[in-house]
Amino acid sequence: MMSSEEKEKENTTAAPAAEEVTQAENPSEAEHATAEAVVEEETKESVPAAAEAEKEPEEEEIEVVEEKIYTIPISRLGYATDRGHRSPKAVKDVRTYIARHMRADEVSISNEVNEAIWERGINKPLRKITVRAVKDKEGKVIVYPAKSS
């Protein structure tokens, strides 16, 4: 139950609402200006987001010690395995190939390379893939897809 003080507060707040209704029926120039400002703000916010979506995802800034481009023959490495295990084996083979050729203990494969290998499913991975291997100061190697020019 509401006390008498709460009822009085409610009644006082209800009075200005009636004035707002009359203003809503007769839209003024101020309301149009605020509506236009809201629309402009929405478009300004969406434009940078769209521009960022069009850009390619930039890789993290790392200090590059060594960078090489390899064409890895996945068909020679792991195509003789069971059909249901070929793509996971191909990813492992890419990791071991890069570790052997770059003399690194830690190898990370970027999401783009992983998606390229898995593009045709688990049964039929790519026969070969061209990648760019980047080694940093700490000896960690990150594998990116080679940029075709």
Side-chain angles (χ1 to χ4, degrees):
M1 299 225 129
M2 295 173 54
S3 66
S4 60
E5 293 175 342
E6 292 175 357
K7 289 181 182 178
E8 287 177 21
K9 287 181 183 177
E10 195 172 293
N11 290 339
T12 57
T13 56
E19 294 174 17
E20 292 175 358
V21 171
T22 57
Q23 289 178 355
E25 293 173 357
N26 300 325
S28 65
E29 293 177 10
E31 288 181 21
H32 286 294
T34 57
E36 291 175 2
V38 170
V39 171
E40 288 177 8
E41 289 177 12
E42 290 175 2
T43 56
K44 287 179 184 176
E45 291 175 4
S46 63
V47 171
E52 290 176 8
E54 291 176 9
K55 293 181 182 177
E56 292 183 20
E58 296 182 18
E59 56 198 55
E60 297 176 8
E61 294 295 325
I62 57 173
E63 235 178 275
V64 178
V65 173
E66 189 176 2
E67 181 176 348
K68 292 184 179 180
I69 295 179
Y70 294 104
T71 300
I72 303 171
I74 296 173
S75 60
R76 288 185 190 171
L77 299 174
Y79 235 88
T81 60
D82 293 337
R83 206 175 259 213
H85 301 285
R86 286 182 182 167
S87 288
K89 176 96 167 84
V91 173
K92 291 174 191 172
D93 289 341
V94 167
R95 183 172 278 121
T96 56
Y97 185 94
I98 294 296
R100 185 177 346 118
H101 285 79
M102 296 286 288
R103 295 183 183 97
D105 295 329
E106 191 175 343
V107 177
S108 296
I109 297 177
S110 72
N111 198 29
E112 292 88 10
V113 173
N114 188 41
E115 286 176 359
I117 292 171
W118 281 85
E119 190 173 42
R120 297 180 352 187
I122 198 166
N123 296 336
K124 296 181 179 181
L126 297 174
R127 290 288 185 159
K128 62 182 177 179
I129 187 168
T130 304
V131 296
R132 180 173 56 99
V134 179
K135 189 174 189 179
D136 65 356
K137 275 195 318 190
E138 300 166 0
K140 181 179 178 183
V141 176
I142 303 173
V143 181
Y144 298 103
K147 294 180 182 175
S148 57
S149 51

